[in-house]
Amino acid sequence: MSTSTELFLQTASQCLCPPGDGVFTVNTAKERKALLRAELFGETTDVRAEWLAGLTRFAESPAPAAILGISSDCGGGILRGANWGPLFLRLALLQQQRRSYPADLGDIRVIPHLLHDKYLNSETITNCRQALYQNAQADLPVSPLSLTEQIADLFYQTFPGKGIFGIGGDHSVSYPLTKAYLKARRAAGIRTAIIHFDAHTDLLTERLGIDLCFGSWCTHILQYLPAPSHLIQLGIRSSGKPKTHWESTFGVRQFWANEIREQGAAAVAAQIVAQLKAAAVDELYVSFDIDALDAEYAAATGTPETGGMTPDEAQQILAILRRHFRVGAADMMEIAPFTDSTGQGAVSSAQTLKVGAELSAVLLDAICQHPVR
């Protein structure tokens, strides 16, 4: 085993926890946590040894994709609850799309009051290191975004060509996931683009003084792309400014939800393919905020919006893109199983999880479609 692999496994054992344990609780959702453990490990209590053994098996295998759960919604700001996405979506995948379930790295160890280490003073960092690692001097991050970036950086350094499928969590989590991926691929000479499904642009420079959050993460990853136009956004419809503002200010490309309906998903996908081929793009990262879909299909989310895409439109676009480009990594964000704007309760949550699992399976299959370089 290489030194880099040993470092990754050692860091993962400290910064991660078994799948589904990213939300620290005593009793809440314990039945679902037990069910996930039974599905993944065949037992419901002490699974740490088997989880760590699975990490070693992944490190020694050619498997091209692995799930990473980030149970943080501290970067959100409307309705919370996306921290439960990793637990519930994993179960939906295992129950409905099991053939697509890959290796599972586990969950980031989340202190739910924190976002990024740069917002913390030294005393808080020391106290949190003691709480997480039982060592106040541990040279490790303590906040969800900082931890995710460290793990993702190590992952791509250790496993060039493999990809993380991130499950959030609010959309701020995509900042460290995409940043690590884009830096690694750029260092390898691979030209990348981000395909971003969302009802919102996420192109604020800051929100109430916080620069890294669910509404601003896209702005801060543009510098890591070959060009701003390599961020292509689909499904936009909730915005205080018109499409022309975002495209002219940031240089991104957008296809709003009404354009996709009017032009058809295949026609929109053809335009994206033409643009990316002209830019000599090699590989895609797909970031999918579930609120890109109309609230009829995905209401269990923090900011559900009507007038959105249908699951079929999203699937059609993804099917066309993956015929032309490798999907190197992806994420599914903002599924909040306990949040419901429809008044239908469990029915709404089940519907959101169903379409989330279907789309996640498509993305996982896409990452696994091409052999690792």
Side-chain angles (χ1 to χ4, degrees):
M1 184 179 291
S2 69
T3 302
S4 62
T5 300
E6 289 178 351
L7 176 61
F8 173 80
L9 292 173
Q10 178 185 6
T11 306
S13 72
Q14 295 173 287
C15 297
L16 302 180
C17 56
D21 286 355
V23 179
F24 177 76
T25 63
V26 177
N27 289 309
T28 304
K30 65 180 181 180
E31 295 84 2
R32 295 218 178 226
K33 289 185 177 184
L35 182 58
L36 179 62
R37 292 176 186 140
E39 290 275 2
L40 290 176
F41 305 113
E43 55 185 289
T44 61
T45 52
D46 185 8
V47 299
R48 182 172 175 82
E50 181 56 33
W51 163 63
L52 290 173
L55 292 182
T56 300
R57 287 194 295 272
F58 170 76
E60 295 173 343
S61 79
I67 288 174
L68 177 64
I70 310 96
S71 300
S72 171
D73 59 5
C74 189
I78 309 298
L79 292 175
R80 299 293 175 86
N83 59 327
W84 290 105
L87 171 60
F88 281 70
L89 184 57
R90 278 186 175 102
L91 279 170
L93 272 167
L94 285 165
Q95 293 166 355
Q96 302 169 28
Q97 305 287 335
R98 195 179 192 97
R99 62 170 183 78
S100 298
Y101 203 95
D104 199 323
L105 300 179
D107 284 358
I108 294 290
R109 297 183 67 191
V110 170
I111 297 178
H113 325 292
L114 307 183
L115 182 59
H116 193 284
D117 281 10
K118 71 177 184 176
Y119 301 130
L120 305 178
N121 61 31
S122 58
E123 181 181 1
T124 301
I125 290 176
T126 297
N127 290 341
C128 291
R129 282 174 172 164
Q130 181 63 39
L132 282 179
Y133 311 117
Q134 292 74 55
N135 179 1
Q137 306 307 315
D139 188 20
L140 292 167
V142 297
S143 303
L145 299 192
S146 304
L147 279 162
T148 301
E149 185 169 345
Q150 174 137 333
I151 287 294
D153 277 341
L154 278 174
F155 179 95
Y156 289 118
Q157 291 165 19
T158 308
F159 310 114
K162 293 192 179 190
I164 292 172
F165 181 73
I167 304 178
D170 75 74
H171 221 153
S172 68
V173 167
S174 290
Y175 170 75
L177 289 172
T178 54
K179 180 181 176 183
Y181 164 83
L182 293 172
K183 287 192 306 179
R185 294 306 198 252
R186 182 170 62 187
I190 298 169
R191 289 178 62 80
T192 53
I194 292 178
I195 306 299
H196 172 211
F197 291 84
D198 207 316
H200 314 89
T201 67
D202 296 356
L203 284 168
L204 301 175
T205 54
E206 54 84 23
R207 189 174 189 270
L208 300 174
I210 302 299
D211 60 339
L212 298 178
C213 70
F214 73 138
S216 63
W217 71 275
C218 281
T219 307
H220 301 291
I221 54 87
L222 291 176
Q223 64 182 300
Y224 302 105
L225 285 163
S229 60
H230 289 219
L231 174 61
I232 299 177
Q233 301 184 304
L234 299 116
I236 307 297
R237 59 195 182 280
S238 179
S239 171
K241 293 183 172 64
K243 173 182 173 179
T244 52
H245 165 80
W246 303 111
E247 291 192 332
S248 63
T249 302
F250 292 98
V252 302
R253 183 81 183 275
Q254 293 182 342
F255 295 91
W256 285 37
N258 65 300
E259 295 178 276
I260 297 170
R261 279 195 301 276
E262 293 163 4
Q263 298 179 29
V268 167
Q271 293 176 63
I272 297 171
V273 169
Q275 175 189 332
L276 296 182
K277 285 194 171 182
V281 165
D282 302 305
E283 192 172 291
L284 307 179
Y285 184 108
V286 180
S287 182
F288 205 110
D289 185 325
I290 200 67
D291 71 23
L293 303 181
D294 189 275
E296 175 185 352
Y297 307 101
T301 185
T303 50
E305 304 283 354
T306 58
M309 298 176 64
T310 68
D312 285 347
E313 288 170 336
Q315 295 236 27
Q316 189 173 359
I317 290 170
L318 290 170
I320 292 170
L321 293 179
R322 65 185 283 196
R323 286 204 296 266
H324 295 273
F325 304 99
R326 183 180 187 228
V327 176
D331 63 55
M332 178 61 66
M333 297 291 156
E334 297 283 3
I335 294 178
F338 295 140
T339 302
D340 173 35
S341 63
T342 65
Q344 298 180 49
V347 173
S348 174
S349 178
Q351 171 65 16
T352 305
L353 286 165
K354 178 178 181 295
V355 296
E358 290 170 351
L359 288 163
S360 295
V362 169
L363 293 171
L364 284 162
D365 290 348
I367 298 171
C368 297
Q369 178 176 336
H370 300 289
V372 177
R373 288 178 176 81

